[in-house]
Short mmCIF file of all heavy atoms in Angstrom, two decimals:
data_model
loop_
_atom_site.label_atom_id
_atom_site.label_comp_id
_atom_site.label_asym_id
_atom_site.label_seq_id
_atom_site.Cartn_x
_atom_site.Cartn_y
_atom_site.Cartn_z
N MET A 158 -3.86 6.04 -7.90
CA MET A 158 -2.67 6.65 -8.47
C MET A 158 -2.82 6.58 -9.99
O MET A 158 -3.09 5.53 -10.53
CB MET A 158 -1.47 5.87 -8.01
CG MET A 158 -0.21 6.60 -7.98
SD MET A 158 1.08 5.61 -7.20
CE MET A 158 1.69 6.79 -6.09
N ALA A 159 -2.71 7.66 -10.63
CA ALA A 159 -2.90 7.68 -12.07
C ALA A 159 -1.82 8.48 -12.77
O ALA A 159 -2.10 9.32 -13.60
CB ALA A 159 -4.30 8.25 -12.38
N ALA A 160 -0.58 8.24 -12.44
CA ALA A 160 0.50 9.03 -12.98
C ALA A 160 1.38 8.30 -13.99
O ALA A 160 2.17 8.88 -14.67
CB ALA A 160 1.39 9.57 -11.84
N GLY A 161 1.29 6.98 -14.07
CA GLY A 161 2.14 6.20 -14.94
C GLY A 161 3.54 6.06 -14.38
O GLY A 161 3.90 6.71 -13.39
N GLY A 162 4.35 5.21 -14.98
CA GLY A 162 5.73 5.01 -14.51
C GLY A 162 5.84 4.02 -13.37
O GLY A 162 4.90 3.31 -13.04
N ASN A 163 7.03 3.95 -12.80
CA ASN A 163 7.32 3.04 -11.73
C ASN A 163 7.53 3.81 -10.44
O ASN A 163 8.22 4.83 -10.45
CB ASN A 163 8.58 2.21 -12.02
CG ASN A 163 8.44 1.41 -13.32
OD1 ASN A 163 7.41 0.81 -13.53
ND2 ASN A 163 9.46 1.43 -14.14
N ALA A 164 6.94 3.33 -9.35
CA ALA A 164 7.07 4.05 -8.08
C ALA A 164 7.32 3.04 -6.98
O ALA A 164 6.86 1.89 -7.05
CB ALA A 164 5.81 4.85 -7.80
N THR A 165 8.02 3.48 -5.93
CA THR A 165 8.25 2.64 -4.76
C THR A 165 7.94 3.45 -3.53
O THR A 165 8.34 4.61 -3.42
CB THR A 165 9.72 2.16 -4.68
OG1 THR A 165 10.00 1.40 -5.86
CG2 THR A 165 9.95 1.28 -3.47
N ILE A 166 7.23 2.84 -2.59
CA ILE A 166 6.97 3.45 -1.28
C ILE A 166 7.76 2.65 -0.27
O ILE A 166 7.56 1.43 -0.12
CB ILE A 166 5.47 3.44 -0.93
CG1 ILE A 166 4.68 4.25 -1.95
CG2 ILE A 166 5.26 3.96 0.49
CD1 ILE A 166 3.18 4.10 -1.81
N ASN A 167 8.69 3.30 0.43
CA ASN A 167 9.48 2.68 1.49
C ASN A 167 9.10 3.30 2.83
O ASN A 167 8.78 4.49 2.89
CB ASN A 167 10.98 2.89 1.25
CG ASN A 167 11.47 2.17 0.04
OD1 ASN A 167 11.31 0.96 -0.08
ND2 ASN A 167 12.05 2.90 -0.89
N PHE A 168 9.20 2.51 3.88
CA PHE A 168 8.93 3.00 5.23
C PHE A 168 10.27 3.05 5.95
O PHE A 168 10.90 2.03 6.19
CB PHE A 168 7.97 2.06 5.96
CG PHE A 168 6.61 2.02 5.33
CD1 PHE A 168 6.28 1.17 4.30
CD2 PHE A 168 5.62 2.91 5.78
CE1 PHE A 168 5.03 1.16 3.72
CE2 PHE A 168 4.35 2.92 5.19
CZ PHE A 168 4.07 2.04 4.17
N ASN A 169 10.69 4.24 6.32
CA ASN A 169 11.97 4.40 7.05
C ASN A 169 11.70 4.57 8.55
O ASN A 169 10.68 5.08 8.95
CB ASN A 169 12.72 5.65 6.54
CG ASN A 169 13.11 5.49 5.10
OD1 ASN A 169 13.52 4.41 4.68
ND2 ASN A 169 13.00 6.55 4.33
N GLY A 170 12.62 4.11 9.36
CA GLY A 170 12.52 4.28 10.80
C GLY A 170 11.73 3.18 11.50
O GLY A 170 11.52 3.25 12.70
N CYS A 171 11.27 2.22 10.76
CA CYS A 171 10.55 1.07 11.37
C CYS A 171 11.47 -0.14 11.43
O CYS A 171 12.29 -0.34 10.57
CB CYS A 171 9.33 0.71 10.52
SG CYS A 171 8.18 2.11 10.23
N SER A 172 11.32 -0.94 12.48
CA SER A 172 12.15 -2.13 12.63
C SER A 172 11.36 -3.21 13.33
O SER A 172 10.28 -2.96 13.86
CB SER A 172 13.41 -1.83 13.43
OG SER A 172 13.06 -1.54 14.78
N THR A 173 11.90 -4.40 13.35
CA THR A 173 11.20 -5.50 14.04
C THR A 173 11.17 -5.27 15.53
O THR A 173 10.27 -5.74 16.20
CB THR A 173 11.85 -6.85 13.71
OG1 THR A 173 13.24 -6.79 14.02
CG2 THR A 173 11.68 -7.20 12.23
N THR A 174 12.13 -4.53 16.08
CA THR A 174 12.12 -4.25 17.53
C THR A 174 11.27 -3.02 17.86
O THR A 174 10.85 -2.86 18.99
CB THR A 174 13.54 -4.04 18.04
OG1 THR A 174 14.18 -2.98 17.31
CG2 THR A 174 14.36 -5.33 17.92
N ALA A 175 11.06 -2.14 16.87
CA ALA A 175 10.20 -0.96 17.04
C ALA A 175 9.31 -0.83 15.82
O ALA A 175 9.47 0.07 15.00
CB ALA A 175 11.04 0.29 17.23
N PRO A 176 8.32 -1.75 15.68
CA PRO A 176 7.49 -1.74 14.46
C PRO A 176 6.60 -0.50 14.39
O PRO A 176 6.23 0.07 15.42
CB PRO A 176 6.68 -3.01 14.57
CG PRO A 176 6.69 -3.40 16.01
CD PRO A 176 7.97 -2.84 16.57
N CYS A 177 6.29 -0.09 13.20
CA CYS A 177 5.35 1.00 12.94
C CYS A 177 3.98 0.38 12.62
O CYS A 177 3.89 -0.43 11.70
CB CYS A 177 5.81 1.85 11.76
SG CYS A 177 7.38 2.66 12.01
N THR A 178 2.99 0.77 13.39
CA THR A 178 1.61 0.31 13.07
C THR A 178 0.85 1.47 12.50
O THR A 178 0.76 2.55 13.10
CB THR A 178 0.91 -0.22 14.34
OG1 THR A 178 1.64 -1.33 14.84
CG2 THR A 178 -0.50 -0.65 14.04
N ILE A 179 0.27 1.29 11.33
CA ILE A 179 -0.53 2.30 10.65
C ILE A 179 -1.96 1.82 10.74
O ILE A 179 -2.34 0.82 10.12
CB ILE A 179 -0.08 2.47 9.19
CG1 ILE A 179 1.40 2.91 9.17
CG2 ILE A 179 -0.99 3.47 8.48
CD1 ILE A 179 2.05 2.79 7.84
N THR A 180 -2.77 2.53 11.51
CA THR A 180 -4.18 2.18 11.68
C THR A 180 -5.02 3.16 10.83
O THR A 180 -4.93 4.36 11.00
CB THR A 180 -4.60 2.28 13.16
OG1 THR A 180 -3.75 1.40 13.91
CG2 THR A 180 -6.04 1.86 13.36
N LEU A 181 -5.83 2.57 9.95
CA LEU A 181 -6.62 3.38 9.03
C LEU A 181 -7.90 3.86 9.69
O LEU A 181 -8.60 3.11 10.37
CB LEU A 181 -6.94 2.58 7.78
CG LEU A 181 -5.74 2.07 6.99
CD1 LEU A 181 -6.22 1.24 5.80
CD2 LEU A 181 -4.84 3.17 6.55
N ASN A 182 -8.26 5.11 9.44
CA ASN A 182 -9.55 5.67 9.85
C ASN A 182 -10.54 5.61 8.71
O ASN A 182 -11.71 5.93 8.89
CB ASN A 182 -9.39 7.09 10.35
CG ASN A 182 -8.70 7.15 11.68
OD1 ASN A 182 -8.88 6.29 12.51
ND2 ASN A 182 -7.88 8.17 11.88
N GLY A 183 -10.07 5.26 7.53
CA GLY A 183 -10.90 5.13 6.33
C GLY A 183 -10.11 4.39 5.28
O GLY A 183 -8.90 4.16 5.46
N PRO A 184 -10.74 3.99 4.19
CA PRO A 184 -10.00 3.27 3.16
C PRO A 184 -8.99 4.14 2.44
O PRO A 184 -9.21 5.37 2.32
CB PRO A 184 -11.10 2.80 2.19
CG PRO A 184 -12.22 3.78 2.43
CD PRO A 184 -12.14 4.19 3.86
N LEU A 185 -7.91 3.56 2.01
CA LEU A 185 -6.94 4.27 1.17
C LEU A 185 -7.54 4.47 -0.21
O LEU A 185 -8.41 3.69 -0.65
CB LEU A 185 -5.65 3.49 1.10
CG LEU A 185 -4.84 3.32 2.39
CD1 LEU A 185 -3.67 2.36 2.19
CD2 LEU A 185 -4.38 4.66 2.90
N PRO A 186 -7.08 5.46 -0.95
CA PRO A 186 -7.61 5.65 -2.32
C PRO A 186 -7.18 4.49 -3.23
O PRO A 186 -6.16 3.82 -2.96
CB PRO A 186 -6.97 6.97 -2.79
CG PRO A 186 -5.79 7.18 -1.88
CD PRO A 186 -6.10 6.47 -0.61
N PRO A 187 -7.95 4.20 -4.27
CA PRO A 187 -7.59 3.12 -5.19
C PRO A 187 -6.28 3.43 -5.90
O PRO A 187 -5.91 4.57 -6.11
CB PRO A 187 -8.74 3.06 -6.17
CG PRO A 187 -9.64 4.19 -5.87
CD PRO A 187 -9.18 4.85 -4.62
N ILE A 188 -5.61 2.37 -6.29
CA ILE A 188 -4.37 2.47 -7.07
C ILE A 188 -4.72 2.01 -8.49
O ILE A 188 -5.13 0.86 -8.71
CB ILE A 188 -3.27 1.57 -6.49
CG1 ILE A 188 -2.99 1.98 -5.03
CG2 ILE A 188 -2.00 1.63 -7.35
CD1 ILE A 188 -2.13 0.95 -4.28
N PHE A 189 -4.58 2.91 -9.46
CA PHE A 189 -4.95 2.61 -10.83
C PHE A 189 -4.24 3.51 -11.82
O PHE A 189 -3.65 4.52 -11.44
CB PHE A 189 -6.47 2.72 -11.04
CG PHE A 189 -6.99 4.11 -10.84
CD1 PHE A 189 -7.15 4.96 -11.95
CD2 PHE A 189 -7.31 4.60 -9.58
CE1 PHE A 189 -7.62 6.26 -11.77
CE2 PHE A 189 -7.80 5.87 -9.42
CZ PHE A 189 -7.94 6.73 -10.52
N GLU A 190 -4.31 3.17 -13.06
CA GLU A 190 -3.76 3.99 -14.15
C GLU A 190 -4.80 3.98 -15.26
O GLU A 190 -5.19 2.93 -15.74
CB GLU A 190 -2.42 3.43 -14.66
CG GLU A 190 -1.93 3.96 -15.99
CD GLU A 190 -1.72 5.45 -15.98
OE1 GLU A 190 -0.89 5.96 -15.22
OE2 GLU A 190 -2.41 6.11 -16.76
N ILE A 191 -5.27 5.15 -15.65
CA ILE A 191 -6.36 5.25 -16.63
C ILE A 191 -5.83 5.09 -18.05
O ILE A 191 -6.37 4.34 -18.86
CB ILE A 191 -7.09 6.61 -16.49
CG1 ILE A 191 -7.79 6.66 -15.13
CG2 ILE A 191 -8.08 6.82 -17.61
CD1 ILE A 191 -8.36 8.02 -14.81
N ASN A 192 -4.78 5.84 -18.40
CA ASN A 192 -4.36 5.95 -19.78
C ASN A 192 -3.59 4.74 -20.32
O ASN A 192 -3.81 4.33 -21.45
CB ASN A 192 -3.54 7.21 -19.98
CG ASN A 192 -4.34 8.46 -19.69
OD1 ASN A 192 -5.50 8.57 -20.07
ND2 ASN A 192 -3.75 9.37 -18.96
N ASN A 193 -2.65 4.22 -19.56
CA ASN A 193 -1.82 3.13 -20.04
C ASN A 193 -1.46 2.22 -18.87
O ASN A 193 -0.34 2.31 -18.34
CB ASN A 193 -0.60 3.70 -20.73
CG ASN A 193 0.21 2.66 -21.43
OD1 ASN A 193 -0.16 1.48 -21.47
ND2 ASN A 193 1.32 3.04 -22.00
N PRO A 194 -2.35 1.31 -18.43
CA PRO A 194 -2.10 0.50 -17.26
C PRO A 194 -0.82 -0.32 -17.33
O PRO A 194 -0.17 -0.54 -16.32
CB PRO A 194 -3.33 -0.42 -17.20
CG PRO A 194 -4.36 0.25 -17.99
CD PRO A 194 -3.65 1.08 -19.01
N SER A 195 -0.42 -0.75 -18.52
CA SER A 195 0.77 -1.59 -18.61
C SER A 195 2.05 -0.81 -18.34
O SER A 195 3.12 -1.35 -18.12
CB SER A 195 0.87 -2.25 -19.99
OG SER A 195 0.97 -1.27 -21.00
N SER A 196 1.98 0.55 -18.33
CA SER A 196 3.16 1.37 -18.08
C SER A 196 3.35 1.70 -16.59
O SER A 196 4.29 2.37 -16.24
CB SER A 196 3.05 2.70 -18.84
OG SER A 196 2.08 3.55 -18.24
N PHE A 197 2.49 1.19 -15.74
CA PHE A 197 2.48 1.57 -14.33
C PHE A 197 2.84 0.38 -13.44
O PHE A 197 2.35 -0.71 -13.65
CB PHE A 197 1.10 2.06 -13.92
CG PHE A 197 1.01 2.45 -12.46
CD1 PHE A 197 1.33 3.69 -12.05
CD2 PHE A 197 0.59 1.51 -11.53
CE1 PHE A 197 1.25 4.05 -10.71
CE2 PHE A 197 0.51 1.85 -10.19
CZ PHE A 197 0.83 3.11 -9.77
N SER A 198 3.71 0.61 -12.47
CA SER A 198 3.95 -0.39 -11.44
C SER A 198 4.28 0.31 -10.13
O SER A 198 4.84 1.40 -10.13
CB SER A 198 5.09 -1.35 -11.82
OG SER A 198 6.32 -0.70 -11.80
N LEU A 199 3.89 -0.31 -9.04
CA LEU A 199 4.12 0.24 -7.72
C LEU A 199 4.61 -0.85 -6.81
O LEU A 199 4.08 -1.98 -6.84
CB LEU A 199 2.81 0.81 -7.14
CG LEU A 199 2.83 1.26 -5.68
CD1 LEU A 199 3.77 2.45 -5.52
CD2 LEU A 199 1.43 1.59 -5.20
N THR A 200 5.62 -0.55 -6.02
CA THR A 200 6.11 -1.46 -4.98
C THR A 200 5.94 -0.78 -3.63
O THR A 200 6.36 0.38 -3.48
CB THR A 200 7.62 -1.82 -5.20
OG1 THR A 200 7.74 -2.46 -6.48
CG2 THR A 200 8.12 -2.72 -4.11
N VAL A 201 5.30 -1.45 -2.71
CA VAL A 201 5.16 -0.98 -1.32
C VAL A 201 6.01 -1.89 -0.47
O VAL A 201 5.71 -3.07 -0.34
CB VAL A 201 3.70 -0.97 -0.85
CG1 VAL A 201 3.62 -0.42 0.54
CG2 VAL A 201 2.83 -0.17 -1.80
N ASP A 202 7.10 -1.36 0.08
CA ASP A 202 8.10 -2.19 0.77
C ASP A 202 8.17 -1.79 2.24
O ASP A 202 8.57 -0.69 2.58
CB ASP A 202 9.46 -1.99 0.11
CG ASP A 202 10.51 -2.96 0.61
OD1 ASP A 202 10.26 -3.67 1.64
OD2 ASP A 202 11.57 -3.04 -0.02
N GLY A 203 7.80 -2.72 3.11
CA GLY A 203 7.84 -2.49 4.54
C GLY A 203 9.18 -2.71 5.16
O GLY A 203 9.33 -2.59 6.39
N GLY A 204 10.19 -3.05 4.36
CA GLY A 204 11.54 -3.33 4.92
C GLY A 204 11.60 -4.70 5.49
O GLY A 204 11.23 -5.67 4.84
N ALA A 205 12.05 -4.82 6.72
CA ALA A 205 12.15 -6.12 7.38
C ALA A 205 10.76 -6.67 7.69
O ALA A 205 9.84 -5.90 8.05
CB ALA A 205 12.96 -6.03 8.64
N GLU A 206 10.59 -7.97 7.56
CA GLU A 206 9.30 -8.60 7.88
C GLU A 206 8.89 -8.31 9.32
O GLU A 206 9.67 -8.47 10.23
CB GLU A 206 9.37 -10.11 7.66
CG GLU A 206 8.07 -10.80 7.85
CD GLU A 206 8.13 -12.27 7.53
OE1 GLU A 206 9.11 -12.73 6.88
OE2 GLU A 206 7.21 -13.00 7.92
N GLY A 207 7.69 -7.75 9.48
CA GLY A 207 7.19 -7.42 10.82
C GLY A 207 7.49 -6.00 11.25
O GLY A 207 7.08 -5.59 12.32
N ALA A 208 8.19 -5.22 10.44
CA ALA A 208 8.55 -3.86 10.81
C ALA A 208 7.41 -2.87 10.55
O ALA A 208 7.33 -1.84 11.21
CB ALA A 208 9.79 -3.39 10.05
N VAL A 209 6.53 -3.17 9.61
CA VAL A 209 5.38 -2.31 9.27
C VAL A 209 4.12 -3.14 9.34
O VAL A 209 4.02 -4.18 8.73
CB VAL A 209 5.54 -1.65 7.91
CG1 VAL A 209 4.30 -0.85 7.52
CG2 VAL A 209 6.77 -0.76 7.86
N ILE A 210 3.14 -2.65 10.09
CA ILE A 210 1.85 -3.32 10.24
C ILE A 210 0.78 -2.37 9.74
O ILE A 210 0.66 -1.24 10.24
CB ILE A 210 1.59 -3.70 11.71
CG1 ILE A 210 2.70 -4.63 12.21
CG2 ILE A 210 0.22 -4.32 11.88
CD1 ILE A 210 2.78 -4.76 13.70
N LEU A 211 0.01 -2.79 8.74
CA LEU A 211 -1.12 -2.00 8.26
C LEU A 211 -2.39 -2.59 8.85
O LEU A 211 -2.70 -3.74 8.66
CB LEU A 211 -1.19 -2.05 6.72
CG LEU A 211 0.02 -1.45 6.01
CD1 LEU A 211 -0.10 -1.67 4.51
CD2 LEU A 211 0.15 0.02 6.31
N ASP A 212 -3.11 -1.79 9.58
CA ASP A 212 -4.29 -2.22 10.35
C ASP A 212 -5.54 -1.57 9.74
O ASP A 212 -5.65 -0.35 9.75
CB ASP A 212 -4.12 -1.84 11.82
CG ASP A 212 -5.25 -2.26 12.70
OD1 ASP A 212 -6.28 -2.72 12.20
OD2 ASP A 212 -5.10 -2.12 13.92
N GLY A 213 -6.47 -2.36 9.25
CA GLY A 213 -7.71 -1.86 8.69
C GLY A 213 -8.71 -1.39 9.73
O GLY A 213 -9.81 -0.96 9.41
N ASN A 214 -8.33 -1.44 11.02
CA ASN A 214 -9.13 -0.89 12.11
C ASN A 214 -10.43 -1.65 12.33
O ASN A 214 -11.43 -1.10 12.74
CB ASN A 214 -9.39 0.58 11.90
CG ASN A 214 -9.71 1.32 13.18
OD1 ASN A 214 -9.43 0.84 14.27
ND2 ASN A 214 -10.26 2.51 13.07
N SER A 215 -10.44 -2.97 12.10
CA SER A 215 -11.68 -3.74 12.28
C SER A 215 -12.03 -3.94 13.75
O SER A 215 -13.19 -4.24 14.06
CB SER A 215 -11.55 -5.10 11.56
OG SER A 215 -10.54 -5.86 12.17
N GLY A 216 -11.10 -3.78 14.65
CA GLY A 216 -11.36 -4.00 16.08
C GLY A 216 -12.20 -2.89 16.70
O GLY A 216 -12.77 -3.04 17.77
N ASN A 217 -12.34 -1.74 16.04
CA ASN A 217 -13.12 -0.62 16.56
C ASN A 217 -14.41 -0.42 15.81
O ASN A 217 -14.90 0.67 15.71
CB ASN A 217 -12.27 0.67 16.53
CG ASN A 217 -11.11 0.60 17.51
OD1 ASN A 217 -11.26 0.05 18.59
ND2 ASN A 217 -9.99 1.14 17.12
N GLY A 218 -14.98 -1.49 15.28
CA GLY A 218 -16.25 -1.41 14.58
C GLY A 218 -16.13 -0.98 13.13
O GLY A 218 -17.12 -0.99 12.41
N GLY A 219 -14.93 -0.62 12.70
CA GLY A 219 -14.75 -0.24 11.30
C GLY A 219 -14.03 -1.35 10.57
O GLY A 219 -13.38 -2.18 11.15
N THR A 220 -14.22 -1.41 9.28
CA THR A 220 -13.52 -2.37 8.47
C THR A 220 -13.06 -1.57 7.23
O THR A 220 -13.87 -1.30 6.33
CB THR A 220 -14.37 -3.55 8.03
OG1 THR A 220 -14.89 -4.16 9.19
CG2 THR A 220 -13.56 -4.58 7.26
N ASN A 221 -11.80 -1.18 7.20
CA ASN A 221 -11.30 -0.37 6.11
C ASN A 221 -10.44 -1.20 5.14
O ASN A 221 -9.56 -1.92 5.58
CB ASN A 221 -10.50 0.79 6.66
CG ASN A 221 -11.34 1.72 7.48
OD1 ASN A 221 -12.33 2.22 7.00
ND2 ASN A 221 -11.01 1.91 8.74
N ARG A 222 -10.74 -1.03 3.89
CA ARG A 222 -9.94 -1.70 2.87
C ARG A 222 -8.54 -1.06 2.92
O ARG A 222 -8.39 0.16 2.95
CB ARG A 222 -10.59 -1.40 1.51
CG ARG A 222 -9.78 -1.88 0.35
CD ARG A 222 -10.34 -1.39 -0.96
NE ARG A 222 -10.12 0.07 -1.08
CZ ARG A 222 -11.06 0.95 -1.33
NH1 ARG A 222 -12.31 0.58 -1.51
NH2 ARG A 222 -10.75 2.22 -1.42
N VAL A 223 -7.53 -1.92 2.95
CA VAL A 223 -6.16 -1.37 2.98
C VAL A 223 -5.72 -1.05 1.56
O VAL A 223 -5.29 0.09 1.31
CB VAL A 223 -5.20 -2.40 3.64
CG1 VAL A 223 -3.78 -1.87 3.63
CG2 VAL A 223 -5.64 -2.67 5.08
N PHE A 224 -5.82 -1.96 0.62
CA PHE A 224 -5.44 -1.68 -0.77
C PHE A 224 -6.55 -2.12 -1.71
O PHE A 224 -7.11 -3.19 -1.56
CB PHE A 224 -4.16 -2.44 -1.15
CG PHE A 224 -2.94 -1.97 -0.44
CD1 PHE A 224 -2.37 -2.73 0.56
CD2 PHE A 224 -2.35 -0.76 -0.75
CE1 PHE A 224 -1.24 -2.30 1.24
CE2 PHE A 224 -1.21 -0.32 -0.10
CZ PHE A 224 -0.67 -1.11 0.90
N PHE A 225 -6.86 -1.25 -2.67
CA PHE A 225 -7.73 -1.61 -3.77
C PHE A 225 -6.93 -1.32 -5.04
O PHE A 225 -6.57 -0.17 -5.31
CB PHE A 225 -9.01 -0.78 -3.78
CG PHE A 225 -9.91 -1.08 -4.93
CD1 PHE A 225 -10.78 -2.16 -4.87
CD2 PHE A 225 -9.89 -0.32 -6.07
CE1 PHE A 225 -11.62 -2.47 -5.94
CE2 PHE A 225 -10.71 -0.61 -7.15
CZ PHE A 225 -11.57 -1.68 -7.08
N VAL A 226 -6.58 -2.37 -5.79
CA VAL A 226 -5.75 -2.26 -6.97
C VAL A 226 -6.59 -2.60 -8.18
O VAL A 226 -7.25 -3.65 -8.20
CB VAL A 226 -4.53 -3.20 -6.85
CG1 VAL A 226 -3.65 -3.12 -8.08
CG2 VAL A 226 -3.73 -2.90 -5.59
N ASP A 227 -6.54 -1.76 -9.21
CA ASP A 227 -7.32 -2.01 -10.40
C ASP A 227 -6.44 -1.92 -11.64
O ASP A 227 -5.96 -0.86 -12.02
CB ASP A 227 -8.45 -0.95 -10.48
CG ASP A 227 -9.40 -1.20 -11.65
OD1 ASP A 227 -9.46 -2.32 -12.16
OD2 ASP A 227 -10.12 -0.24 -12.00
N ASN A 228 -6.21 -3.06 -12.28
CA ASN A 228 -5.64 -3.16 -13.61
C ASN A 228 -4.21 -2.66 -13.74
O ASN A 228 -3.79 -2.20 -14.78
CB ASN A 228 -6.54 -2.39 -14.60
CG ASN A 228 -6.35 -2.86 -16.01
OD1 ASN A 228 -6.03 -3.99 -16.28
ND2 ASN A 228 -6.57 -1.97 -16.96
N VAL A 229 -3.42 -2.73 -12.65
CA VAL A 229 -2.00 -2.37 -12.69
C VAL A 229 -1.21 -3.37 -11.86
O VAL A 229 -1.78 -4.17 -11.12
CB VAL A 229 -1.76 -0.93 -12.14
CG1 VAL A 229 -2.38 0.12 -13.05
CG2 VAL A 229 -2.27 -0.76 -10.72
N THR A 230 0.10 -3.28 -11.94
CA THR A 230 0.97 -4.18 -11.20
C THR A 230 1.40 -3.53 -9.91
O THR A 230 1.94 -2.44 -9.91
CB THR A 230 2.25 -4.51 -12.02
OG1 THR A 230 1.84 -5.13 -13.26
CG2 THR A 230 3.18 -5.41 -11.27
N VAL A 231 1.10 -4.21 -8.79
CA VAL A 231 1.53 -3.72 -7.46
C VAL A 231 2.20 -4.88 -6.75
O VAL A 231 1.65 -5.99 -6.69
CB VAL A 231 0.29 -3.21 -6.64
CG1 VAL A 231 0.71 -2.87 -5.24
CG2 VAL A 231 -0.32 -2.02 -7.33
N THR A 232 3.34 -4.61 -6.19
CA THR A 232 4.10 -5.61 -5.40
C THR A 232 4.11 -5.15 -3.93
O THR A 232 4.50 -4.03 -3.65
CB THR A 232 5.55 -5.73 -5.94
OG1 THR A 232 5.52 -6.07 -7.31
CG2 THR A 232 6.30 -6.79 -5.15
N LEU A 233 3.64 -6.02 -3.05
CA LEU A 233 3.66 -5.74 -1.61
C LEU A 233 4.74 -6.59 -1.00
O LEU A 233 4.78 -7.80 -1.20
CB LEU A 233 2.31 -6.08 -0.99
CG LEU A 233 1.09 -5.37 -1.61
CD1 LEU A 233 -0.19 -5.88 -0.97
CD2 LEU A 233 1.21 -3.90 -1.50
N LYS A 234 5.64 -5.94 -0.23
CA LYS A 234 6.76 -6.66 0.40
C LYS A 234 6.78 -6.43 1.91
O LYS A 234 6.76 -5.27 2.34
CB LYS A 234 8.10 -6.19 -0.20
CG LYS A 234 8.26 -6.45 -1.66
CD LYS A 234 9.44 -5.70 -2.19
CE LYS A 234 10.58 -6.63 -2.46
NZ LYS A 234 11.73 -5.91 -3.04
N ASN A 235 6.79 -7.49 2.65
CA ASN A 235 7.00 -7.43 4.11
C ASN A 235 6.01 -6.50 4.83
O ASN A 235 6.40 -5.70 5.66
CB ASN A 235 8.45 -7.03 4.42
CG ASN A 235 9.40 -8.04 3.88
OD1 ASN A 235 9.18 -9.24 3.98
ND2 ASN A 235 10.49 -7.58 3.30
N LEU A 236 4.75 -6.60 4.54
CA LEU A 236 3.74 -5.82 5.22
C LEU A 236 2.89 -6.78 6.02
O LEU A 236 2.64 -7.89 5.65
CB LEU A 236 2.86 -5.07 4.23
CG LEU A 236 3.57 -4.01 3.41
CD1 LEU A 236 2.67 -3.45 2.33
CD2 LEU A 236 4.08 -2.88 4.25
#
């Protein structure tokens, strides 16, 4: 991500009784800011603990990086 500013990613419709599992088929793109890293922040919020599961798909012979963060502030909540 190279847009600057503050951003939040929320997952709607997921709950502890009906969790959302996101299984990756490849790595997610890196999260970074080229021009002014101190002006960028990202929060990824899964809502309630256990409501969102990010799976790097290692059980099927693949190992996918879930997050690669370079030189910016990223807060992960309840994932």
Side-chain angles (χ1 to χ4, degrees):
M158 204 173 230
N163 302 316
T165 301
I166 298 171
N167 293 304
F168 295 88
N169 295 321
C171 304
S172 68
T173 55
T174 57
C177 297
T178 299
I179 301 166
T180 303
L181 301 178
N182 289 324
L185 294 173
I188 301 167
F189 64 94
E190 166 58 63
I191 295 172
N192 298 317
N193 189 2
S195 63
S196 73
F197 178 87
S198 70
L199 172 66
T200 300
V201 182
D202 189 349
E206 185 175 344
V209 175
I210 300 164
L211 297 175
D212 182 351
N214 202 17
S215 64
N217 292 323
T220 304
N221 296 304
R222 173 190 71 233
V223 178
F224 292 107
F225 178 83
V226 179
D227 186 19
N228 203 28
V229 293
T230 300
V231 174
T232 302
L233 305 175
K234 297 168 106 178
N235 299 318
L236 297 172

